mmCIF file of all heavy atoms in Angstrom:
data_model
loop_
_atom_site.group_PDB
_atom_site.id
_atom_site.type_symbol
_atom_site.label_atom_id
_atom_site.label_comp_id
_atom_site.label_asym_id
_atom_site.label_seq_id
_atom_site.Cartn_x
_atom_site.Cartn_y
_atom_site.Cartn_z
ATOM 1 N N ALA A 85 11.314 -5.951 -7.143
ATOM 2 C CA ALA A 85 11.842 -4.961 -6.030
ATOM 3 C C ALA A 85 12.821 -5.880 -5.113
ATOM 4 O O ALA A 85 13.815 -5.278 -4.696
ATOM 5 C CB ALA A 85 10.622 -4.757 -5.151
ATOM 6 N N GLN A 89 16.424 -4.429 -4.431
ATOM 7 C CA GLN A 89 16.864 -4.210 -2.958
ATOM 8 C C GLN A 89 18.227 -5.065 -2.713
ATOM 9 O O GLN A 89 19.123 -4.414 -1.956
ATOM 10 C CB GLN A 89 15.771 -4.852 -2.002
ATOM 11 C CG GLN A 89 14.657 -4.029 -1.846
ATOM 12 C CD GLN A 89 13.568 -4.642 -0.932
ATOM 13 O OE1 GLN A 89 13.924 -4.953 0.098
ATOM 14 N NE2 GLN A 89 12.430 -4.785 -1.525
ATOM 15 N N GLN A 96 25.372 -0.376 -1.195
ATOM 16 C CA GLN A 96 25.525 0.437 0.120
ATOM 17 C C GLN A 96 26.597 -0.080 0.893
ATOM 18 O O GLN A 96 27.331 0.564 1.560
ATOM 19 C CB GLN A 96 24.228 0.504 0.866
ATOM 20 C CG GLN A 96 23.200 1.370 0.220
ATOM 21 C CD GLN A 96 21.849 1.394 0.992
ATOM 22 O OE1 GLN A 96 21.635 0.504 1.730
ATOM 23 N NE2 GLN A 96 21.043 2.363 0.748
ATOM 24 N N GLN A 115 14.145 1.397 -11.716
ATOM 25 C CA GLN A 115 14.670 1.444 -10.311
ATOM 26 C C GLN A 115 16.288 1.168 -10.266
ATOM 27 O O GLN A 115 16.958 1.817 -9.468
ATOM 28 C CB GLN A 115 13.869 0.477 -9.392
ATOM 29 C CG GLN A 115 12.515 1.052 -9.281
ATOM 30 C CD GLN A 115 11.638 0.084 -8.445
ATOM 31 O OE1 GLN A 115 11.802 -1.091 -8.399
ATOM 32 N NE2 GLN A 115 10.486 0.433 -7.996
ATOM 33 N N LYS A 248 -15.848 -16.064 -7.642
ATOM 34 C CA LYS A 248 -16.108 -15.785 -6.067
ATOM 35 C C LYS A 248 -16.663 -14.496 -5.822
ATOM 36 O O LYS A 248 -16.434 -13.817 -4.773
ATOM 37 C CB LYS A 248 -14.857 -16.026 -5.284
ATOM 38 C CG LYS A 248 -14.329 -17.411 -5.346
ATOM 39 C CD LYS A 248 -13.595 -17.806 -4.063
ATOM 40 C CE LYS A 248 -13.216 -19.199 -4.134
ATOM 41 N NZ LYS A 248 -12.803 -19.710 -2.772
ATOM 42 N N THR A 252 -12.515 -12.151 -3.698
ATOM 43 C CA THR A 252 -11.107 -12.455 -3.594
ATOM 44 C C THR A 252 -10.538 -12.544 -5.001
ATOM 45 O O THR A 252 -11.281 -12.706 -6.087
ATOM 46 C CB THR A 252 -10.885 -13.822 -2.799
ATOM 47 O OG1 THR A 252 -9.526 -13.953 -2.678
ATOM 48 C CG2 THR A 252 -11.414 -14.984 -3.637
ATOM 49 N N PHE A 253 -9.191 -12.410 -5.164
ATOM 50 C CA PHE A 253 -8.558 -12.377 -6.442
ATOM 51 C C PHE A 253 -7.353 -13.290 -6.323
ATOM 52 O O PHE A 253 -6.659 -13.256 -5.222
ATOM 53 C CB PHE A 253 -8.117 -10.986 -6.794
ATOM 54 C CG PHE A 253 -9.283 -9.997 -7.012
ATOM 55 C CD1 PHE A 253 -9.909 -9.447 -6.094
ATOM 56 C CD2 PHE A 253 -9.941 -9.904 -8.263
ATOM 57 C CE1 PHE A 253 -10.951 -8.519 -6.244
ATOM 58 C CE2 PHE A 253 -10.951 -9.222 -8.556
ATOM 59 C CZ PHE A 253 -11.604 -8.457 -7.499
ATOM 60 N N GLN A 262 -4.146 -22.602 -12.859
ATOM 61 C CA GLN A 262 -4.754 -23.876 -12.344
ATOM 62 C C GLN A 262 -6.220 -23.805 -12.383
ATOM 63 O O GLN A 262 -6.916 -24.772 -12.640
ATOM 64 C CB GLN A 262 -4.220 -24.159 -11.037
ATOM 65 C CG GLN A 262 -4.486 -25.547 -10.460
ATOM 66 C CD GLN A 262 -3.955 -25.884 -9.113
ATOM 67 O OE1 GLN A 262 -3.204 -25.051 -8.563
ATOM 68 N NE2 GLN A 262 -4.072 -26.948 -8.755
ATOM 69 N N ASN A 266 -8.498 -26.402 -14.371
ATOM 70 C CA ASN A 266 -9.498 -27.222 -13.724
ATOM 71 C C ASN A 266 -10.930 -26.951 -14.250
ATOM 72 O O ASN A 266 -11.811 -27.586 -13.800
ATOM 73 C CB ASN A 266 -9.447 -26.959 -12.228
ATOM 74 C CG ASN A 266 -8.235 -27.572 -11.481
ATOM 75 O OD1 ASN A 266 -7.633 -28.387 -12.020
ATOM 76 N ND2 ASN A 266 -8.064 -27.228 -10.266
ATOM 77 N N GLU A 268 -12.552 -24.241 -13.434
ATOM 78 C CA GLU A 268 -13.232 -23.340 -12.546
ATOM 79 C C GLU A 268 -13.555 -21.902 -13.112
ATOM 80 O O GLU A 268 -14.531 -21.230 -12.773
ATOM 81 C CB GLU A 268 -12.579 -23.190 -11.224
ATOM 82 C CG GLU A 268 -13.444 -22.621 -10.108
ATOM 83 C CD GLU A 268 -12.773 -22.818 -8.746
ATOM 84 O OE1 GLU A 268 -11.930 -23.705 -8.583
ATOM 85 O OE2 GLU A 268 -13.207 -22.088 -7.856
ATOM 86 N N GLU A 388 5.307 4.470 -13.580
ATOM 87 C CA GLU A 388 4.533 4.971 -12.400
ATOM 88 C C GLU A 388 2.984 4.446 -12.626
ATOM 89 O O GLU A 388 2.307 4.253 -11.603
ATOM 90 C CB GLU A 388 4.671 6.586 -12.528
ATOM 91 C CG GLU A 388 3.829 7.195 -11.316
ATOM 92 C CD GLU A 388 4.464 7.052 -10.023
ATOM 93 O OE1 GLU A 388 5.489 6.568 -9.897
ATOM 94 O OE2 GLU A 388 3.897 7.317 -9.025
ATOM 95 N N ARG A 398 -5.739 -2.539 -5.161
ATOM 96 C CA ARG A 398 -5.803 -3.000 -3.797
ATOM 97 C C ARG A 398 -6.891 -2.115 -3.024
ATOM 98 O O ARG A 398 -7.833 -2.494 -2.350
ATOM 99 C CB ARG A 398 -4.500 -3.061 -3.169
ATOM 100 C CG ARG A 398 -4.461 -3.398 -1.741
ATOM 101 C CD ARG A 398 -3.325 -3.900 -1.171
ATOM 102 N NE ARG A 398 -3.569 -4.832 0.041
ATOM 103 C CZ ARG A 398 -3.848 -6.104 0.048
ATOM 104 N NH1 ARG A 398 -3.658 -6.754 -1.024
ATOM 105 N NH2 ARG A 398 -4.310 -6.741 1.026
ATOM 106 N N ILE A 402 -9.973 -4.340 -4.150
ATOM 107 C CA ILE A 402 -9.847 -5.351 -3.140
ATOM 108 C C ILE A 402 -10.359 -4.886 -1.682
ATOM 109 O O ILE A 402 -11.069 -5.584 -1.074
ATOM 110 C CB ILE A 402 -8.313 -5.923 -2.987
ATOM 111 C CG1 ILE A 402 -7.968 -6.613 -4.326
ATOM 112 C CG2 ILE A 402 -8.264 -6.991 -1.849
ATOM 113 C CD1 ILE A 402 -6.599 -6.970 -4.417
ATOM 114 N N GLY B 236 17.909 2.052 3.464
ATOM 115 C CA GLY B 236 17.025 1.495 2.300
ATOM 116 C C GLY B 236 17.502 2.022 0.991
ATOM 117 O O GLY B 236 18.300 3.005 0.875
ATOM 118 N N GLN B 315 -6.120 -28.323 -3.165
ATOM 119 C CA GLN B 315 -6.608 -29.319 -4.167
ATOM 120 C C GLN B 315 -7.891 -30.112 -3.712
ATOM 121 O O GLN B 315 -8.684 -30.467 -4.521
ATOM 122 C CB GLN B 315 -5.626 -30.455 -4.456
ATOM 123 C CG GLN B 315 -4.253 -30.017 -4.989
ATOM 124 C CD GLN B 315 -4.345 -29.506 -6.522
ATOM 125 O OE1 GLN B 315 -5.405 -29.545 -7.056
ATOM 126 N NE2 GLN B 315 -3.250 -29.238 -7.056
ATOM 127 N N ALA B 320 -12.843 -26.084 -7.529
ATOM 128 C CA ALA B 320 -12.746 -27.127 -8.570
ATOM 129 C C ALA B 320 -12.035 -28.322 -7.986
ATOM 130 O O ALA B 320 -11.458 -29.132 -8.594
ATOM 131 C CB ALA B 320 -11.941 -26.669 -9.681
ATOM 132 N N ARG B 325 -15.776 -31.970 -6.845
ATOM 133 C CA ARG B 325 -16.217 -32.730 -7.995
ATOM 134 C C ARG B 325 -17.030 -33.822 -7.534
ATOM 135 O O ARG B 325 -18.085 -34.324 -8.346
ATOM 136 C CB ARG B 325 -14.950 -33.157 -8.757
ATOM 137 C CG ARG B 325 -14.300 -32.102 -9.570
ATOM 138 C CD ARG B 325 -12.815 -32.288 -9.787
ATOM 139 N NE ARG B 325 -12.262 -31.151 -10.388
ATOM 140 C CZ ARG B 325 -12.033 -30.995 -11.649
ATOM 141 N NH1 ARG B 325 -12.405 -31.948 -12.465
ATOM 142 N NH2 ARG B 325 -11.345 -29.936 -12.126
ATOM 143 N N GLU B 341 -17.713 -22.477 0.131
ATOM 144 C CA GLU B 341 -16.259 -21.972 0.227
ATOM 145 C C GLU B 341 -15.469 -22.452 1.321
ATOM 146 O O GLU B 341 -15.767 -22.036 2.509
ATOM 147 C CB GLU B 341 -16.245 -20.403 0.164
ATOM 148 C CG GLU B 341 -16.505 -19.828 -1.163
ATOM 149 C CD GLU B 341 -16.221 -18.367 -1.161
ATOM 150 O OE1 GLU B 341 -16.351 -17.761 -0.060
ATOM 151 O OE2 GLU B 341 -16.003 -17.665 -2.294
ATOM 152 N N VAL B 343 -11.926 -22.776 1.159
ATOM 153 C CA VAL B 343 -10.517 -22.120 1.075
ATOM 154 C C VAL B 343 -10.712 -20.750 0.423
ATOM 155 O O VAL B 343 -11.690 -20.540 -0.265
ATOM 156 C CB VAL B 343 -9.483 -22.921 0.170
ATOM 157 C CG1 VAL B 343 -9.096 -24.293 0.965
ATOM 158 C CG2 VAL B 343 -10.039 -23.241 -1.170
ATOM 159 N N PRO B 430 -6.691 -11.886 -0.640
ATOM 160 C CA PRO B 430 -5.787 -10.892 -0.575
ATOM 161 C C PRO B 430 -6.178 -9.820 0.427
ATOM 162 O O PRO B 430 -5.256 -8.934 0.748
ATOM 163 C CB PRO B 430 -5.919 -10.232 -1.962
ATOM 164 C CG PRO B 430 -6.585 -11.305 -2.733
ATOM 165 C CD PRO B 430 -7.328 -12.168 -1.895
ATOM 166 N N TYR B 431 -7.407 -9.862 0.927
ATOM 167 C CA TYR B 431 -7.829 -9.072 1.944
ATOM 168 C C TYR B 431 -8.973 -9.527 2.843
ATOM 169 O O TYR B 431 -9.864 -10.070 2.145
ATOM 170 C CB TYR B 431 -8.291 -7.564 1.278
ATOM 171 C CG TYR B 431 -8.611 -6.598 2.241
ATOM 172 C CD1 TYR B 431 -7.651 -5.756 2.829
ATOM 173 C CD2 TYR B 431 -9.972 -6.311 2.578
ATOM 174 C CE1 TYR B 431 -7.922 -4.796 3.802
ATOM 175 C CE2 TYR B 431 -10.215 -5.410 3.537
ATOM 176 C CZ TYR B 431 -9.284 -4.477 4.109
ATOM 177 O OH TYR B 431 -9.654 -3.566 4.963
ATOM 178 N N GLN B 433 -5.471 -9.759 5.054
ATOM 179 C CA GLN B 433 -4.233 -10.711 4.998
ATOM 180 C C GLN B 433 -3.761 -10.950 6.391
ATOM 181 O O GLN B 433 -3.832 -10.089 7.239
ATOM 182 C CB GLN B 433 -3.197 -10.220 4.148
ATOM 183 C CG GLN B 433 -3.495 -10.300 2.603
ATOM 184 C CD GLN B 433 -2.453 -9.578 1.786
ATOM 185 O OE1 GLN B 433 -1.971 -8.490 2.252
ATOM 186 N NE2 GLN B 433 -2.076 -10.262 0.743
ATOM 187 N N LEU B 443 6.623 -5.490 1.000
ATOM 188 C CA LEU B 443 7.890 -5.557 0.813
ATOM 189 C C LEU B 443 8.402 -5.770 -0.696
ATOM 190 O O LEU B 443 9.367 -5.366 -1.272
ATOM 191 C CB LEU B 443 8.735 -6.518 1.608
ATOM 192 C CG LEU B 443 9.021 -6.089 3.105
ATOM 193 C CD1 LEU B 443 9.538 -7.313 3.987
ATOM 194 C CD2 LEU B 443 10.093 -4.953 3.120
ATOM 195 N N ARG B 445 6.293 -5.135 -3.405
ATOM 196 C CA ARG B 445 5.651 -4.439 -4.411
ATOM 197 C C ARG B 445 6.593 -3.721 -5.297
ATOM 198 O O ARG B 445 7.776 -3.628 -5.084
ATOM 199 C CB ARG B 445 4.793 -3.346 -3.637
ATOM 200 C CG ARG B 445 3.492 -3.801 -3.276
ATOM 201 C CD ARG B 445 2.627 -2.704 -2.724
ATOM 202 N NE ARG B 445 1.547 -3.328 -2.056
ATOM 203 C CZ ARG B 445 0.691 -2.542 -1.222
ATOM 204 N NH1 ARG B 445 0.914 -1.328 -1.196
ATOM 205 N NH2 ARG B 445 -0.267 -3.191 -0.643
ATOM 206 N N PHE B 446 6.031 -3.406 -6.427
ATOM 207 C CA PHE B 446 6.952 -2.813 -7.497
ATOM 208 C C PHE B 446 7.614 -1.415 -7.128
ATOM 209 O O PHE B 446 8.621 -1.181 -7.504
ATOM 210 C CB PHE B 446 6.034 -2.645 -8.750
ATOM 211 C CG PHE B 446 5.424 -3.764 -9.323
ATOM 212 C CD1 PHE B 446 4.094 -3.923 -9.538
ATOM 213 C CD2 PHE B 446 6.261 -4.927 -9.732
ATOM 214 C CE1 PHE B 446 3.541 -5.050 -10.073
ATOM 215 C CE2 PHE B 446 5.724 -6.101 -10.132
ATOM 216 C CZ PHE B 446 4.276 -6.183 -10.385
ATOM 217 N N ARG B 449 9.265 3.083 -3.096
ATOM 218 C CA ARG B 449 8.758 4.042 -2.155
ATOM 219 C C ARG B 449 7.875 3.360 -1.044
ATOM 220 O O ARG B 449 7.577 4.060 -0.118
ATOM 221 C CB ARG B 449 8.169 5.130 -2.873
ATOM 222 C CG ARG B 449 9.080 6.026 -3.728
ATOM 223 C CD ARG B 449 8.242 6.742 -4.694
ATOM 224 N NE ARG B 449 7.395 6.018 -5.496
ATOM 225 C CZ ARG B 449 6.712 6.494 -6.510
ATOM 226 N NH1 ARG B 449 6.717 7.752 -6.813
ATOM 227 N NH2 ARG B 449 5.957 5.770 -7.257
#
Side-chain angles (χ1 to χ4, degrees):
Chain A
Q89 286 178 58
Q96 282 178 343
Q115 289 169 345
K248 292 208 172 195
T252 187
F253 296 87
Q262 191 174 359
N266 286 347
E268 194 169 342
E388 184 72 9
R398 177 158 201 93
I402 296 177
Chain B
Q315 298 283 9
R325 284 158 188 266
E341 278 190 341
V343 293
Y431 185 80
Q433 287 173 316
L443 279 171
R445 276 189 195 166
F446 300 123
R449 292 165 301 186

